[in-house]
Amino acid sequence: GGTKHVLLFPPDAPGMRAFPCDHPYDSRAQVDLENLSEAELEVLAGRGALATLQAGDTLFIPNQWQIP
């Protein structure tokens, strides 16, 4: 058990640099959230959606939404 936090970004979020649709990581973005420049931080600030999951919860991730 335990709590998990998942940060998701919509497909139109600028600066996420999505992998191509046929790539094994096509649901992930190429951006490194732990090492953002000031410019990247300004572009992405407030655009993500945070989901907090408890044991037994399910998360539906819409098509093209990205997990950094």
Side-chain angles (χ1 to χ4, degrees), residues 2-15:
T3 301
K4 295 186 189 262
H5 304 282
V6 180
L7 182 60
L8 300 167
F9 287 88
D12 62 350

Side-chain angles (χ1 to χ4, degrees), residues 4-62:
K4 295 186 189 262
H5 304 282
V6 180
L7 182 60
L8 300 167
F9 287 88
D12 62 350
M16 292 302 291
R17 299 185 310 275
F19 284 99
C21 291
D22 60 350
H23 192 278
Y25 296 119
D26 63 355
S27 65
R28 294 191 167 267
Q30 297 181 49
V31 67
D32 181 358
L33 292 181
E34 294 181 5
N35 294 303
L36 291 176
S37 68
E38 287 294 321
E40 290 171 318
L41 184 58
E42 286 182 27
V43 168
L44 292 174
R47 296 187 186 270
L50 180 63
T52 301
L53 306 173
Q54 303 297 327
D57 286 349
T58 300
L59 176 63
F60 172 77
I61 302 174

